[in-house]
Amino acid sequence: MKLYKIAKGILLEHEGAAYIIDDSWDKLVNRDNLAAYLQTVIDDTTPLTAGVYQEFSNDQVLPPIGTQEVWAAGVTYLKSRDARMEESETSGGASLYDKVYDAPRPELFFKSMPYRVSGHGGEVYIRKDSEWNVPEPELTLYINSKGNIQGYTIGNDMSSRSIEGENALYLPQAKIYEKSAALGPCLYVTAQPLPADSAIKLLIKRDGAAVYQDETTISRIKRSFTELTSYLYAECDFPQGCYLMTGTCLVPPPTFTLQVGDEVYISIDHIGTMINTIGINPKHK
Ligand code: DO4
Ligand code: MG
């Protein structure tokens, strides 16, 4: 089942039919057994007619988030560890990444307030003071206030590799700025965990042509989602639940940096594809 947040409300899509849910996003998603609840909505609601469904589908898709914080896990895949060790070699910070990959405690960091999050079709920004920038395609969990995973979405943890590589203590500046996070296009709600063989793909286009393309599966993650969740919830309460990006598993080669106008396509099996265009904050041009 897919929940879309659109300008007209909340659209639920399931098996080719669509339903409008009259509720607030926070209240709707923050329940246990969300999938079972949505099934009762489907059973009790008349699906939209094809014409109305079409009209709603043309509506702007907003990021599937209410008032929740967005957090992120880091160095959860070998690919991320290796790329970061390489980029921080001259600053002497390489061993930090090695150690955190193997340590019992994962790297978790605050990523975004909802108002900085872009949705499918929107822009994500690169920083004016950063010369080396990449998108980070990440499976993102929606975890309710009780600490139970209720759904999955696609995340982009935009990162400045030059700022993080200069000094690991600059991580918040490399990671947190206007439109440095994207979530979308929907929240995929399922009672079962997302299959481990689910593919995650990244495609970057420049002037319509692919300049980077790769894919892998989420099974390559070092840690379980419940492990990441239990560290995140150990000493923080999230009254409306929380979104947790689970770390990047795809990193473009060191010669690659994003440019304004690039299009970033991130696809995850069962969830869909989120497309964003790279921009720069007009205030900071
Ligand atoms: O260690 C810094 C951030 C790591 C990260 O964002 C990732 O692995 O996805
Ligand atoms: Mg990341």
Side-chain angles (χ1 to χ4, degrees):
M1 292 170 211
K2 292 179 176 180
L3 279 176
Y4 290 87
K5 193 173 179 190
I6 56 174
K8 288 193 173 81
I10 300 171
L11 186 74
L12 169 62
E13 266 185 17
H14 185 53
E15 294 178 343
Y19 311 81
I20 284 295
I21 301 182
D22 183 19
D23 210 341
S24 79
W25 185 268
D26 288 356
K27 185 159 164 269
L28 175 65
V29 297
N30 190 21
R31 19 166 72 85
D32 267 335
N33 305 316
L34 178 57
Y37 174 76
L38 294 180
Q39 188 58 56
T40 66
V41 171
I42 289 170
D43 295 342
D44 296 346
T45 313
T46 312
L48 299 178
T49 61
V52 178
Y53 186 6
Q54 182 62 48
E55 189 190 314
F56 278 79
S57 308
N58 292 336
D59 213 3
Q60 190 199 348
V61 183
L62 304 173
I65 188 169
T67 63
Q68 295 81 13
E69 296 172 20
V70 182
W71 283 68
V75 200
T76 48
Y77 291 85
L78 270 180
K79 192 98 185 171
S80 173
R81 184 198 72 177
D82 294 348
R84 293 192 144 82
M85 287 180 75
E86 208 178 315
E87 85 194 4
S88 59
E89 218 171 279
T90 45
S91 72
S95 66
L96 291 176
Y97 298 100
D98 210 5
K99 283 186 184 138
V100 82
Y101 183 79
D102 288 322
R105 182 186 291 276
E107 179 196 4
L108 294 172
F109 59 92
F110 177 78
K111 175 68 187 176
S112 189
M113 294 298 286
Y115 56 81
R116 291 211 175 90
V117 177
S118 295
H120 169 65
E123 274 191 321
V124 285
Y125 288 163
I126 49 178
R127 293 180 64 118
K128 184 176 88 291
D129 56 358
S130 165
E131 63 268 13
W132 189 14
N133 305 289
V134 287
E136 293 193 351
E138 305 193 11
L139 176 68
T140 302
L141 315 174
Y142 169 69
I143 309 158
N144 70 9
S145 55
K146 291 186 184 159
N148 298 320
I149 298 164
Q150 298 300 316
Y152 305 87
T153 185
I154 297 172
N156 181 353
D157 169 26
M158 288 288 292
S159 293
S160 161
R161 293 190 73 181
S162 43
I163 294 176
E164 186 185 338
E166 192 179 334
N167 190 319
L169 295 179
Y170 295 154
L171 189 78
Q173 294 174 76
K175 295 284 190 179
I176 307 169
Y177 54 91
E178 294 308 318
K179 294 188 194 276
S180 70
L183 294 176
C186 63
L187 182 67
Y188 173 64
V189 179
T190 166
Q192 282 77 44
L194 202 68
D197 64 358
S198 300
I200 176 159
K201 301 178 189 170
L202 173 61
L203 163 67
I204 305 171
K205 286 190 186 174
R206 185 166 298 156
D207 301 324
V211 285
Y212 172 80
Q213 194 165 12
D214 202 359
E215 65 176 270
T216 185
T217 61
I218 59 166
S219 63
R220 290 176 173 258
I221 197 163
K222 164 88 188 304
R223 301 173 190 269
S224 72
F225 299 144
T226 47
E227 180 187 348
L228 295 174
T229 303
S230 63
Y231 273 96
L232 180 58
Y233 277 59
E235 289 292 338
C236 280
D237 293 331
F238 297 100
Q240 309 302 335
C242 173
Y243 286 81
L244 176 60
M245 295 179 169
T246 56
T248 190
C249 48
L250 294 170
V251 184
T255 47
F256 179 87
T257 188
L258 287 166
Q259 288 179 12
V260 170
D262 285 355
E263 283 182 315
V264 177
Y265 295 66
I266 305 174
S267 307
I268 302 182
D269 284 351
H270 309 282
I271 307 174
T273 299
M274 174 169 72
I275 307 173
N276 296 106
T277 305
I278 301 300
I280 198 154
N281 192 334
K283 276 194 199 154
H284 303 155
K285 264 183 188 160

